[in-house]
Amino acid sequence: MAEEKAPSWKDFFTLLHYAGGLLYVAFAITLIVILREKEWHPQVVRFMARAWHEFLAHMGSTAAGFVSPIAVSI
């Protein structure tokens, strides 16, 4: 009988590589579909604005208050 080998770190990183590749492909296909459909553009912009404002409201900050510590650290 053939001996089974134990999974190694190389196998784990290969799996992560494939998972990342699949996420990239899904993101690219979604982006292409959104860019081709002109009537989706206003909805996408409104969605991104709402998501940004909700993110800032959850943090209790403003856009300048969120970005300035990052800019200063750079």
Side-chain angles (χ1 to χ4, degrees):
M1 281 196 209
E3 239 179 82
E4 289 188 31
K5 67 174 190 164
S8 66
W9 283 107
K10 183 181 179 209
D11 295 335
F12 177 71
F13 288 124
T14 301
L15 177 67
L16 284 180
H17 178 77
Y18 287 136
L22 287 173
L23 286 173
Y24 175 76
V25 168
F27 176 77
I29 290 171
T30 304
L31 184 64
I32 289 168
V33 168
I34 288 172
L35 290 176
R36 290 188 66 199
E37 299 293 331
K38 298 287 185 203
E39 63 268 6
W40 287 10
H41 292 187
Q43 287 88 352
V44 171
V45 169
R46 280 197 302 268
F47 171 74
M48 296 299 286
R50 277 196 323 263
W52 177 250
H53 291 298
E54 286 298 319
F55 171 72
L56 292 177
H58 179 71
M59 289 182 53
S61 181
T62 62
F66 175 71
V67 175
S68 62
I70 297 170
V72 168
S73 67
I74 291 173

